[in-house]
Amino acid sequence: FKNNGLILTIFVKDINSQISPLMGDNQYYCIMEYTQNGKQHQEAAEVELIDRTAYKDKTAYSMILDYSGSMFGYNNQKMPVEYLQDGANAFINNFATNDWAEIIKFGSGYSQIIGYTNDKAKLRNALYSDSYERGGTQLLEAVQAGINNLSGLDKWYFKSIIAFSDGDTEDSYMQSDVVRNALNNSIPIFTIGL
């Protein structure tokens, strides 16, 4: 739903990760809670869920993966980067046929390791390749690149950023530009903390 400039996209999928058609009444009352500038907010709105199977049949993810120095410290006999790879691999393994992804790894800079593909083997290979410590944490620069890449795809994709990271970014000065770019392109950003 869209309320006060915030867009929330809800996907309904079946057990096989296929988009399910909505059944019956598709009018819902939703309450969203969020924190902004340290203050708790609550927004309520009546929303309508729309069956996307009628017009969009692909999902595209830009997977933004943290390879900064802190990801290579040990935590319970396992490095955080290994948890990242385990989680990202599980995510890829659950892709449906029409799910596509790119992989961007970042540290002090970022690199697109593989462009958009729905080939799980190629994505897994890219996940485990070029897995070296990359210095600082320029998360937002990598997210901005992912948004730009997603915005170049055609309208038949549902698009989102999935960022795996263990901490703060060193390029917070980019925050308003990244948020504006994501909103202008209707691309949600999801983060997974490690």
Side-chain angles (χ1 to χ4, degrees), residues 133-161:
E133 184 179 332
R134 295 169 181 260
T137 310
Q138 301 290 323
L139 169 63
L140 294 177
E141 181 181 54
V143 169
Q144 186 79 296
I147 293 167
N148 291 339
N149 293 348
L150 284 166
S151 66
L153 297 177
D154 69 42
K155 67 180 181 177
W156 300 110
Y157 288 89
F158 271 101
K159 307 167 187 178
S160 62
I161 298 284

PDB file of all heavy atoms in Angstrom, residues 133-161:
ATOM      1  N   GLU A 133      38.271 -10.543   1.572  1.00  0.00           N
ATOM      2  CA  GLU A 133      38.000  -9.340   2.359  1.00  0.00           C
ATOM      3  C   GLU A 133      38.187  -8.111   1.472  1.00  0.00           C
ATOM      4  O   GLU A 133      39.195  -7.966   0.799  1.00  0.00           O
ATOM      5  CB  GLU A 133      38.961  -9.288   3.544  1.00  0.00           C
ATOM      6  CG  GLU A 133      38.713  -8.137   4.465  1.00  0.00           C
ATOM      7  CD  GLU A 133      39.678  -8.117   5.646  1.00  0.00           C
ATOM      8  OE1 GLU A 133      40.160  -9.185   6.047  1.00  0.00           O
ATOM      9  OE2 GLU A 133      39.937  -7.012   6.132  1.00  0.00           O
ATOM     10  N   ARG A 134      37.196  -7.219   1.497  1.00  0.00           N
ATOM     11  CA  ARG A 134      37.186  -6.072   0.595  1.00  0.00           C
ATOM     12  C   ARG A 134      37.305  -4.730   1.317  1.00  0.00           C
ATOM     13  O   ARG A 134      36.945  -3.698   0.765  1.00  0.00           O
ATOM     14  CB  ARG A 134      35.910  -6.108  -0.246  1.00  0.00           C
ATOM     15  CG  ARG A 134      35.871  -7.312  -1.181  1.00  0.00           C
ATOM     16  CD  ARG A 134      34.508  -7.495  -1.817  1.00  0.00           C
ATOM     17  NE  ARG A 134      34.511  -8.667  -2.667  1.00  0.00           N
ATOM     18  CZ  ARG A 134      34.645  -8.621  -3.997  1.00  0.00           C
ATOM     19  NH1 ARG A 134      34.767  -7.486  -4.613  1.00  0.00           N
ATOM     20  NH2 ARG A 134      34.645  -9.728  -4.692  1.00  0.00           N
ATOM     21  N   GLY A 135      37.771  -4.727   2.578  1.00  0.00           N
ATOM     22  CA  GLY A 135      38.032  -3.460   3.275  1.00  0.00           C
ATOM     23  C   GLY A 135      36.837  -2.919   4.025  1.00  0.00           C
ATOM     24  O   GLY A 135      36.199  -3.622   4.797  1.00  0.00           O
ATOM     25  N   GLY A 136      36.523  -1.638   3.793  1.00  0.00           N
ATOM     26  CA  GLY A 136      35.488  -0.900   4.533  1.00  0.00           C
ATOM     27  C   GLY A 136      34.068  -1.357   4.242  1.00  0.00           C
ATOM     28  O   GLY A 136      33.845  -2.453   3.722  1.00  0.00           O
ATOM     29  N   THR A 137      33.103  -0.504   4.590  1.00  0.00           N
ATOM     30  CA  THR A 137      31.689  -0.872   4.453  1.00  0.00           C
ATOM     31  C   THR A 137      30.932   0.215   3.696  1.00  0.00           C
ATOM     32  O   THR A 137      30.337   1.108   4.279  1.00  0.00           O
ATOM     33  CB  THR A 137      31.052  -1.100   5.843  1.00  0.00           C
ATOM     34  OG1 THR A 137      31.881  -1.979   6.593  1.00  0.00           O
ATOM     35  CG2 THR A 137      29.676  -1.715   5.714  1.00  0.00           C
ATOM     36  N   GLN A 138      30.965   0.145   2.385  1.00  0.00           N
ATOM     37  CA  GLN A 138      30.260   1.093   1.517  1.00  0.00           C
ATOM     38  C   GLN A 138      28.946   0.460   1.052  1.00  0.00           C
ATOM     39  O   GLN A 138      28.715   0.241  -0.137  1.00  0.00           O
ATOM     40  CB  GLN A 138      31.134   1.472   0.318  1.00  0.00           C
ATOM     41  CG  GLN A 138      32.462   2.095   0.689  1.00  0.00           C
ATOM     42  CD  GLN A 138      32.305   3.482   1.274  1.00  0.00           C
ATOM     43  OE1 GLN A 138      31.456   4.254   0.853  1.00  0.00           O
ATOM     44  NE2 GLN A 138      33.117   3.794   2.267  1.00  0.00           N
ATOM     45  N   LEU A 139      28.082   0.163   2.008  1.00  0.00           N
ATOM     46  CA  LEU A 139      26.819  -0.516   1.737  1.00  0.00           C
ATOM     47  C   LEU A 139      25.916   0.266   0.793  1.00  0.00           C
ATOM     48  O   LEU A 139      25.382  -0.273  -0.175  1.00  0.00           O
ATOM     49  CB  LEU A 139      26.086  -0.788   3.057  1.00  0.00           C
ATOM     50  CG  LEU A 139      24.633  -1.262   2.967  1.00  0.00           C
ATOM     51  CD1 LEU A 139      24.549  -2.607   2.263  1.00  0.00           C
ATOM     52  CD2 LEU A 139      24.018  -1.342   4.357  1.00  0.00           C
ATOM     53  N   LEU A 140      25.726   1.555   1.065  1.00  0.00           N
ATOM     54  CA  LEU A 140      24.754   2.322   0.276  1.00  0.00           C
ATOM     55  C   LEU A 140      25.191   2.499  -1.169  1.00  0.00           C
ATOM     56  O   LEU A 140      24.350   2.533  -2.071  1.00  0.00           O
ATOM     57  CB  LEU A 140      24.483   3.666   0.946  1.00  0.00           C
ATOM     58  CG  LEU A 140      23.785   3.550   2.308  1.00  0.00           C
ATOM     59  CD1 LEU A 140      23.625   4.922   2.949  1.00  0.00           C
ATOM     60  CD2 LEU A 140      22.448   2.858   2.178  1.00  0.00           C
ATOM     61  N   GLU A 141      26.483   2.596  -1.395  1.00  0.00           N
ATOM     62  CA  GLU A 141      26.985   2.679  -2.772  1.00  0.00           C
ATOM     63  C   GLU A 141      26.587   1.412  -3.545  1.00  0.00           C
ATOM     64  O   GLU A 141      26.140   1.479  -4.692  1.00  0.00           O
ATOM     65  CB  GLU A 141      28.504   2.850  -2.751  1.00  0.00           C
ATOM     66  CG  GLU A 141      29.130   2.981  -4.114  1.00  0.00           C
ATOM     67  CD  GLU A 141      30.643   3.125  -4.034  1.00  0.00           C
ATOM     68  OE1 GLU A 141      31.285   2.268  -3.400  1.00  0.00           O
ATOM     69  OE2 GLU A 141      31.161   4.094  -4.608  1.00  0.00           O
ATOM     70  N   ALA A 142      26.718   0.254  -2.896  1.00  0.00           N
ATOM     71  CA  ALA A 142      26.349  -1.010  -3.537  1.00  0.00           C
ATOM     72  C   ALA A 142      24.837  -1.107  -3.735  1.00  0.00           C
ATOM     73  O   ALA A 142      24.368  -1.569  -4.780  1.00  0.00           O
ATOM     74  CB  ALA A 142      26.859  -2.178  -2.698  1.00  0.00           C
ATOM     75  N   VAL A 143      24.063  -0.664  -2.738  1.00  0.00           N
ATOM     76  CA  VAL A 143      22.599  -0.676  -2.866  1.00  0.00           C
ATOM     77  C   VAL A 143      22.162   0.232  -4.017  1.00  0.00           C
ATOM     78  O   VAL A 143      21.297  -0.138  -4.813  1.00  0.00           O
ATOM     79  CB  VAL A 143      21.925  -0.274  -1.538  1.00  0.00           C
ATOM     80  CG1 VAL A 143      20.431  -0.025  -1.734  1.00  0.00           C
ATOM     81  CG2 VAL A 143      22.148  -1.346  -0.475  1.00  0.00           C
ATOM     82  N   GLN A 144      22.783   1.407  -4.118  1.00  0.00           N
ATOM     83  CA  GLN A 144      22.457   2.330  -5.214  1.00  0.00           C
ATOM     84  C   GLN A 144      22.720   1.670  -6.572  1.00  0.00           C
ATOM     85  O   GLN A 144      21.908   1.783  -7.498  1.00  0.00           O
ATOM     86  CB  GLN A 144      23.285   3.613  -5.067  1.00  0.00           C
ATOM     87  CG  GLN A 144      22.936   4.710  -6.045  1.00  0.00           C
ATOM     88  CD  GLN A 144      21.701   5.476  -5.651  1.00  0.00           C
ATOM     89  OE1 GLN A 144      20.618   4.911  -5.604  1.00  0.00           O
ATOM     90  NE2 GLN A 144      21.864   6.759  -5.377  1.00  0.00           N
ATOM     91  N   ALA A 145      23.826   0.950  -6.679  1.00  0.00           N
ATOM     92  CA  ALA A 145      24.128   0.240  -7.933  1.00  0.00           C
ATOM     93  C   ALA A 145      23.063  -0.818  -8.210  1.00  0.00           C
ATOM     94  O   ALA A 145      22.608  -0.970  -9.350  1.00  0.00           O
ATOM     95  CB  ALA A 145      25.508  -0.406  -7.851  1.00  0.00           C
ATOM     96  N   GLY A 146      22.642  -1.539  -7.174  1.00  0.00           N
ATOM     97  CA  GLY A 146      21.599  -2.546  -7.347  1.00  0.00           C
ATOM     98  C   GLY A 146      20.282  -1.946  -7.806  1.00  0.00           C
ATOM     99  O   GLY A 146      19.609  -2.494  -8.686  1.00  0.00           O
ATOM    100  N   ILE A 147      19.909  -0.809  -7.216  1.00  0.00           N
ATOM    101  CA  ILE A 147      18.673  -0.126  -7.631  1.00  0.00           C
ATOM    102  C   ILE A 147      18.776   0.286  -9.096  1.00  0.00           C
ATOM    103  O   ILE A 147      17.841   0.091  -9.877  1.00  0.00           O
ATOM    104  CB  ILE A 147      18.393   1.102  -6.742  1.00  0.00           C
ATOM    105  CG1 ILE A 147      18.076   0.669  -5.315  1.00  0.00           C
ATOM    106  CG2 ILE A 147      17.251   1.947  -7.318  1.00  0.00           C
ATOM    107  CD1 ILE A 147      18.092   1.812  -4.312  1.00  0.00           C
ATOM    108  N   ASN A 148      19.907   0.852  -9.469  1.00  0.00           N
ATOM    109  CA  ASN A 148      20.094   1.278 -10.859  1.00  0.00           C
ATOM    110  C   ASN A 148      20.016   0.087 -11.819  1.00  0.00           C
ATOM    111  O   ASN A 148      19.420   0.187 -12.895  1.00  0.00           O
ATOM    112  CB  ASN A 148      21.415   2.024 -11.016  1.00  0.00           C
ATOM    113  CG  ASN A 148      21.398   3.366 -10.326  1.00  0.00           C
ATOM    114  OD1 ASN A 148      20.343   3.941 -10.053  1.00  0.00           O
ATOM    115  ND2 ASN A 148      22.567   3.876  -9.992  1.00  0.00           N
ATOM    116  N   ASN A 149      20.606  -1.044 -11.427  1.00  0.00           N
ATOM    117  CA  ASN A 149      20.544  -2.235 -12.274  1.00  0.00           C
ATOM    118  C   ASN A 149      19.109  -2.746 -12.397  1.00  0.00           C
ATOM    119  O   ASN A 149      18.658  -3.101 -13.481  1.00  0.00           O
ATOM    120  CB  ASN A 149      21.451  -3.332 -11.721  1.00  0.00           C
ATOM    121  CG  ASN A 149      22.922  -2.969 -11.795  1.00  0.00           C
ATOM    122  OD1 ASN A 149      23.312  -2.017 -12.450  1.00  0.00           O
ATOM    123  ND2 ASN A 149      23.739  -3.731 -11.095  1.00  0.00           N
ATOM    124  N   LEU A 150      18.393  -2.798 -11.271  1.00  0.00           N
ATOM    125  CA  LEU A 150      17.003  -3.260 -11.297  1.00  0.00           C
ATOM    126  C   LEU A 150      16.116  -2.336 -12.125  1.00  0.00           C
ATOM    127  O   LEU A 150      15.232  -2.795 -12.850  1.00  0.00           O
ATOM    128  CB  LEU A 150      16.444  -3.344  -9.874  1.00  0.00           C
ATOM    129  CG  LEU A 150      16.897  -4.532  -9.027  1.00  0.00           C
ATOM    130  CD1 LEU A 150      16.549  -4.304  -7.561  1.00  0.00           C
ATOM    131  CD2 LEU A 150      16.276  -5.824  -9.534  1.00  0.00           C
ATOM    132  N   SER A 151      16.344  -1.041 -12.016  1.00  0.00           N
ATOM    133  CA  SER A 151      15.490  -0.093 -12.741  1.00  0.00           C
ATOM    134  C   SER A 151      15.654  -0.225 -14.254  1.00  0.00           C
ATOM    135  O   SER A 151      14.776   0.179 -15.004  1.00  0.00           O
ATOM    136  CB  SER A 151      15.757   1.343 -12.285  1.00  0.00           C
ATOM    137  OG  SER A 151      17.055   1.750 -12.649  1.00  0.00           O
ATOM    138  N   GLY A 152      16.747  -0.827 -14.694  1.00  0.00           N
ATOM    139  CA  GLY A 152      16.972  -1.048 -16.117  1.00  0.00           C
ATOM    140  C   GLY A 152      16.243  -2.262 -16.673  1.00  0.00           C
ATOM    141  O   GLY A 152      16.197  -2.458 -17.887  1.00  0.00           O
ATOM    142  N   LEU A 153      15.677  -3.096 -15.782  1.00  0.00           N
ATOM    143  CA  LEU A 153      14.932  -4.265 -16.246  1.00  0.00           C
ATOM    144  C   LEU A 153      13.541  -3.846 -16.702  1.00  0.00           C
ATOM    145  O   LEU A 153      13.012  -2.831 -16.258  1.00  0.00           O
ATOM    146  CB  LEU A 153      14.818  -5.299 -15.126  1.00  0.00           C
ATOM    147  CG  LEU A 153      16.131  -5.897 -14.625  1.00  0.00           C
ATOM    148  CD1 LEU A 153      15.866  -6.843 -13.458  1.00  0.00           C
ATOM    149  CD2 LEU A 153      16.864  -6.626 -15.747  1.00  0.00           C
ATOM    150  N   ASP A 154      12.909  -4.663 -17.537  1.00  0.00           N
ATOM    151  CA  ASP A 154      11.592  -4.301 -18.046  1.00  0.00           C
ATOM    152  C   ASP A 154      10.517  -4.366 -16.965  1.00  0.00           C
ATOM    153  O   ASP A 154      10.734  -4.872 -15.865  1.00  0.00           O
ATOM    154  CB  ASP A 154      11.217  -5.129 -19.274  1.00  0.00           C
ATOM    155  CG  ASP A 154      10.952  -6.589 -18.973  1.00  0.00           C
ATOM    156  OD1 ASP A 154      10.305  -6.892 -17.962  1.00  0.00           O
ATOM    157  OD2 ASP A 154      11.373  -7.437 -19.779  1.00  0.00           O
ATOM    158  N   LYS A 155       9.350  -3.864 -17.275  1.00  0.00           N
ATOM    159  CA  LYS A 155       8.255  -3.717 -16.315  1.00  0.00           C
ATOM    160  C   LYS A 155       7.643  -5.041 -15.882  1.00  0.00           C
ATOM    161  O   LYS A 155       6.829  -5.074 -14.970  1.00  0.00           O
ATOM    162  CB  LYS A 155       7.169  -2.821 -16.896  1.00  0.00           C
ATOM    163  CG  LYS A 155       6.457  -3.430 -18.092  1.00  0.00           C
ATOM    164  CD  LYS A 155       5.399  -2.520 -18.630  1.00  0.00           C
ATOM    165  CE  LYS A 155       4.682  -3.175 -19.810  1.00  0.00           C
ATOM    166  NZ  LYS A 155       3.612  -2.340 -20.306  1.00  0.00           N
ATOM    167  N   TRP A 156       8.011  -6.152 -16.499  1.00  0.00           N
ATOM    168  CA  TRP A 156       7.399  -7.436 -16.177  1.00  0.00           C
ATOM    169  C   TRP A 156       8.024  -8.093 -14.962  1.00  0.00           C
ATOM    170  O   TRP A 156       7.663  -9.196 -14.601  1.00  0.00           O
ATOM    171  CB  TRP A 156       7.438  -8.362 -17.392  1.00  0.00           C
ATOM    172  CG  TRP A 156       6.704  -7.742 -18.529  1.00  0.00           C
ATOM    173  CD1 TRP A 156       7.255  -7.248 -19.681  1.00  0.00           C
ATOM    174  CD2 TRP A 156       5.306  -7.477 -18.610  1.00  0.00           C
ATOM    175  NE1 TRP A 156       6.293  -6.698 -20.472  1.00  0.00           N
ATOM    176  CE2 TRP A 156       5.071  -6.831 -19.837  1.00  0.00           C
ATOM    177  CE3 TRP A 156       4.230  -7.708 -17.772  1.00  0.00           C
ATOM    178  CZ2 TRP A 156       3.805  -6.425 -20.240  1.00  0.00           C
ATOM    179  CZ3 TRP A 156       2.966  -7.305 -18.167  1.00  0.00           C
ATOM    180  CH2 TRP A 156       2.767  -6.679 -19.388  1.00  0.00           C
ATOM    181  N   TYR A 157       8.962  -7.426 -14.330  1.00  0.00           N
ATOM    182  CA  TYR A 157       9.597  -7.949 -13.121  1.00  0.00           C
ATOM    183  C   TYR A 157       9.085  -7.236 -11.878  1.00  0.00           C
ATOM    184  O   TYR A 157       8.938  -6.019 -11.869  1.00  0.00           O
ATOM    185  CB  TYR A 157      11.109  -7.707 -13.162  1.00  0.00           C
ATOM    186  CG  TYR A 157      11.869  -8.562 -14.135  1.00  0.00           C
ATOM    187  CD1 TYR A 157      12.063  -8.148 -15.451  1.00  0.00           C
ATOM    188  CD2 TYR A 157      12.424  -9.766 -13.739  1.00  0.00           C
ATOM    189  CE1 TYR A 157      12.787  -8.917 -16.342  1.00  0.00           C
ATOM    190  CE2 TYR A 157      13.154 -10.539 -14.627  1.00  0.00           C
ATOM    191  CZ  TYR A 157      13.328 -10.114 -15.924  1.00  0.00           C
ATOM    192  OH  TYR A 157      14.040 -10.874 -16.798  1.00  0.00           O
ATOM    193  N   PHE A 158       8.844  -8.012 -10.807  1.00  0.00           N
ATOM    194  CA  PHE A 158       8.784  -7.440  -9.467  1.00  0.00           C
ATOM    195  C   PHE A 158      10.228  -7.362  -9.018  1.00  0.00           C
ATOM    196  O   PHE A 158      10.977  -8.324  -9.143  1.00  0.00           O
ATOM    197  CB  PHE A 158       7.963  -8.321  -8.518  1.00  0.00           C
ATOM    198  CG  PHE A 158       6.523  -7.967  -8.525  1.00  0.00           C
ATOM    199  CD1 PHE A 158       5.622  -8.726  -9.239  1.00  0.00           C
ATOM    200  CD2 PHE A 158       6.069  -6.866  -7.819  1.00  0.00           C
ATOM    201  CE1 PHE A 158       4.281  -8.400  -9.252  1.00  0.00           C
ATOM    202  CE2 PHE A 158       4.724  -6.531  -7.823  1.00  0.00           C
ATOM    203  CZ  PHE A 158       3.828  -7.295  -8.539  1.00  0.00           C
ATOM    204  N   LYS A 159      10.643  -6.236  -8.497  1.00  0.00           N
ATOM    205  CA  LYS A 159      12.055  -5.986  -8.221  1.00  0.00           C
ATOM    206  C   LYS A 159      12.271  -5.665  -6.752  1.00  0.00           C
ATOM    207  O   LYS A 159      11.459  -4.982  -6.140  1.00  0.00           O
ATOM    208  CB  LYS A 159      12.532  -4.794  -9.062  1.00  0.00           C
ATOM    209  CG  LYS A 159      12.230  -4.949 -10.543  1.00  0.00           C
ATOM    210  CD  LYS A 159      12.411  -3.642 -11.287  1.00  0.00           C
ATOM    211  CE  LYS A 159      11.928  -3.785 -12.726  1.00  0.00           C
ATOM    212  NZ  LYS A 159      12.041  -2.535 -13.467  1.00  0.00           N
ATOM    213  N   SER A 160      13.389  -6.160  -6.193  1.00  0.00           N
ATOM    214  CA  SER A 160      13.734  -5.803  -4.821  1.00  0.00           C
ATOM    215  C   SER A 160      15.219  -5.996  -4.563  1.00  0.00           C
ATOM    216  O   SER A 160      15.899  -6.774  -5.234  1.00  0.00           O
ATOM    217  CB  SER A 160      12.906  -6.603  -3.811  1.00  0.00           C
ATOM    218  OG  SER A 160      13.158  -7.976  -3.944  1.00  0.00           O
ATOM    219  N   ILE A 161      15.689  -5.250  -3.575  1.00  0.00           N
ATOM    220  CA  ILE A 161      17.059  -5.352  -3.076  1.00  0.00           C
ATOM    221  C   ILE A 161      17.026  -6.264  -1.860  1.00  0.00           C
ATOM    222  O   ILE A 161      16.181  -6.101  -0.981  1.00  0.00           O
ATOM    223  CB  ILE A 161      17.604  -3.968  -2.646  1.00  0.00           C
ATOM    224  CG1 ILE A 161      17.658  -2.994  -3.823  1.00  0.00           C
ATOM    225  CG2 ILE A 161      18.940  -4.098  -1.934  1.00  0.00           C
ATOM    226  CD1 ILE A 161      18.788  -3.214  -4.793  1.00  0.00           C
TER     227      ILE A 161
END
